[in-house]
Amino acid sequence: MRKKVKNNVSWVGYMDWELQQFHGDEYSIINGSSQNSYLIEEEKTVLIDTVWAPHSFDFIDNLKQEIDLNKIDYIIANHGEIDHSGVLPALMEEIPDTPIYCTANAVKSLEGQFGKRGWNFHVVKTGDTLDIGNGKQLVFVEMRMLHWPDSMATYLTGDNILFSNDAFGQHFAVEELFNDKANQCILMKEAMKYYTNILNPFSPLVAKKIKEIVGLNLPIDMIAPSHGAVWRENPLQIVEKYAEWAEAYQEDQVTIAYDTMWEGTAKIAHRIADEIHKQSPDTVVKVFNVTKTDKNEIMTEVFKSKAIAVGSPTVGNDILTGIAGWMAFLKSLKFKNKKAAAFGCYGWSGGSVKILKEKLDEAGFNVVDEDITSLWNPDETDFEKIPALVKNLLA
């Protein structure tokens, strides 16, 4: 079912209420999501992106109810990832000669995923335009590494809509389509979670791209991403948020993440939290067992934090595997300008705290010298070291 976006622009995507995981099992979906595809019907008819292959039948069948597929003059492939391109093979069987406008890298990714099928590719770069009639044009803007090398955005003149693909999106199902109709708390939480877990590694590029888009002097009345709500009420608010988030964002918050075997490391974690409250009552403190809490939710809290403390007991002269996997993910997100501390227990031999400090340093954190390394179960001697650790962590 189509939903009107503005004038001759319609949403023809898929509202995915049942989706629970994304990127394999790497990203958790809590509030549903959407795969947004858009139809522009001016003198020329344009389809912007498709949806994921499992919804191929629904998408094409619904599209046929709205329009004769042979009337589609152009297809815009803003990004080759299969949640946006999955239906292309089935669609191109119906309309095989339809021109596909995309970046040079998108040709590589589409042919890499679906094979060389002789599709009619038209390669575009930033500033290229496509006349669609009635005085309107599409303007293409490369969005390299936001978040694939093939990504681009498409701007519709006249209606002043930026089809931003994965930038400015959220995994959030909004049946009413628009940001002003969505729950605002959930919307911004999901937008931040999306940025943290998908785009944060590319923050330097985000900052540059925002400056480039602003430099094009294109009036933007709407931002229509490929997931989640369309920004029509104050659409530049999400651009402003991205600009803020891209600059080593932090709030007055500390996140404590740990795993534990026999609760000793857990005790240290909670005593550190207590001490932070004593030394800085206004600082927000979050405490998570990484094996019992969704990793994407934890990383969103790390993104908001000015400092973190990470704990693990020693097992097999190493850290627990739950923490090890979590630390690998932490490193991949490339957080900047945040402090970190390490803590943990050991029995027959130690080593976990040293390993944690090394991994935190490799992940780009400023690691404080102080740590808490407890033999067997922590006692008051161990707890007495916590104030100095917290003082340095908050400094």
Side-chain angles (χ1 to χ4, degrees):
M1 180 179 105
R2 79 161 72 194
K3 299 179 182 181
K4 184 175 180 179
V5 175
K6 183 180 181 181
N7 297 332
N8 293 328
V9 180
S10 303
W11 178 94
V12 290
Y14 185 84
M15 201 63 63
D16 207 337
W17 292 98
E18 281 101 34
L19 191 64
Q20 294 182 317
Q21 301 290 336
F22 200 73
H23 288 157
D25 288 328
E26 282 299 291
Y27 192 103
S28 61
I29 307 294
I30 296 175
N31 295 291
S33 187
S34 62
Q35 294 138 43
N36 298 340
S37 174
Y38 302 96
L39 188 67
I40 303 171
E41 298 171 277
E42 298 294 344
E43 290 179 37
K44 299 293 185 178
T45 299
V46 184
L47 180 68
I48 297 183
D49 294 319
T50 65
V51 300
W52 196 14
H55 312 305
S56 177
F57 177 80
D58 291 330
F59 179 81
I60 292 178
D61 188 54
N62 290 340
L63 197 57
K64 284 180 177 178
Q65 293 180 38
E66 303 295 340
I67 189 174
D68 178 353
L69 296 185
N70 291 297
K71 291 184 177 180
I72 297 175
D73 294 291
Y74 311 122
I75 296 171
I76 310 300
N78 277 330
H79 177 27
E81 196 169 8
I82 59 170
D83 52 318
H84 312 296
S85 67
V87 178
L88 262 181
L91 182 61
M92 296 307 289
E93 287 182 8
E94 302 263 0
I95 46 173
D97 298 323
T98 306
I100 300 173
Y101 286 75
C102 62
T103 65
N105 278 322
V107 175
K108 294 178 183 178
S109 62
L110 290 169
E111 291 188 337
Q113 292 174 101
F114 304 124
K116 295 186 177 182
R117 300 181 178 222
W119 291 344
N120 183 13
F121 288 113
H122 289 244
V123 172
V124 296
K125 59 185 184 301
T126 296
D128 286 349
T129 62
L130 178 63
D131 196 324
I132 61 171
N134 295 327
K136 296 182 181 181
Q137 289 184 325
L138 298 179
V139 181
F140 302 106
V141 182
E142 293 171 273
M143 303 282 276
R144 182 175 172 83
M145 295 315 300
L146 301 183
H147 64 121
W148 274 22
D150 70 358
S151 298
M152 74 173 185
T154 300
Y155 177 81
L156 173 60
T157 66
D159 293 311
N160 301 340
I161 301 173
L162 180 68
F163 299 95
S164 60
N165 197 257
D166 277 336
F168 312 127
Q170 336 88 46
H171 282 301
F172 183 21
V174 181
E175 186 68 35
E176 299 79 16
L177 195 60
F178 299 105
N179 69 307
D180 52 295
K181 295 293 186 179
N183 180 296
Q184 297 302 297
C185 292
I186 297 176
L187 175 66
M188 296 313 298
K189 177 183 182 296
E190 291 295 347
M192 178 181 279
K193 177 181 175 181
Y194 189 94
Y195 185 92
T196 300
N197 288 275
I198 296 178
L199 291 169
N200 191 71
F202 312 111
S203 285
L205 297 175
V206 171
K208 290 179 182 179
K209 185 55 61 176
I210 288 175
K211 290 179 182 177
E212 181 182 328
I213 291 173
V214 171
L216 293 174
N217 295 317
L218 300 173
I220 297 176
D221 294 340
M222 280 188 180
I223 297 176
S226 285
H227 299 293
V230 172
W231 302 87
R232 70 174 178 185
E233 183 179 86
N234 184 19
L236 292 181
Q237 65 178 292
I238 190 60
V239 179
E240 293 165 0
K241 281 295 182 184
Y242 266 48
E244 184 181 4
W245 293 343
E247 298 295 335
Y249 181 78
Q250 61 178 241
E251 300 175 11
D252 186 9
Q253 177 171 317
V254 177
T255 295
I256 302 168
Y258 73 94
D259 196 2
T260 191
M261 291 179 68
W262 300 111
E263 305 309 316
T265 302
K267 291 177 183 176
I268 299 173
H270 290 285
R271 288 294 287 263
I272 292 173
D274 292 342
E275 183 62 29
I276 293 170
H277 281 302
K278 289 180 182 177
Q279 293 193 26
S280 183
D282 292 333
T283 298
V284 174
V285 182
K286 303 282 186 175
V287 182
F288 301 102
N289 182 319
V290 300
T291 61
K292 297 180 180 179
T293 310
D294 181 279
K295 66 179 182 292
N296 305 114
E297 297 291 319
I298 302 175
M299 290 306 178
T300 306
E301 297 302 331
V302 171
F303 177 70
K304 293 161 61 178
S305 298
K306 62 184 179 182
I308 65 172
V310 182
S312 172
T314 300
V315 59
N317 294 316
D318 211 325
I319 58 178
L320 289 176
T321 58
I323 277 285
W326 188 85
M327 291 293 294
F329 186 33
L330 181 76
K331 180 181 178 181
S332 75
L333 295 181
K334 299 182 180 179
F335 293 115
K336 304 294 183 187
N337 196 31
K338 298 181 188 294
K339 283 190 167 185
F343 60 94
C345 297
Y346 70 99
W348 308 113
S349 62
S352 65
V353 172
K354 179 176 180 292
I355 292 169
L356 286 174
K357 293 175 85 169
E358 290 172 351
K359 289 185 177 295
L360 285 165
D361 180 68
E362 292 171 359
F365 288 80
N366 301 316
V367 184
V368 302
D369 292 332
E370 294 82 358
D371 60 59
I372 310 300
T373 305
S374 174
L375 177 60
W376 301 111
N377 287 313
D379 57 22
E380 288 305 316
T381 302
D382 299 305
F383 295 146
E384 287 172 358
K385 301 174 185 176
I386 290 177
L389 179 150
V390 169
K391 182 179 180 180
N392 202 349
L393 202 59
L394 295 175

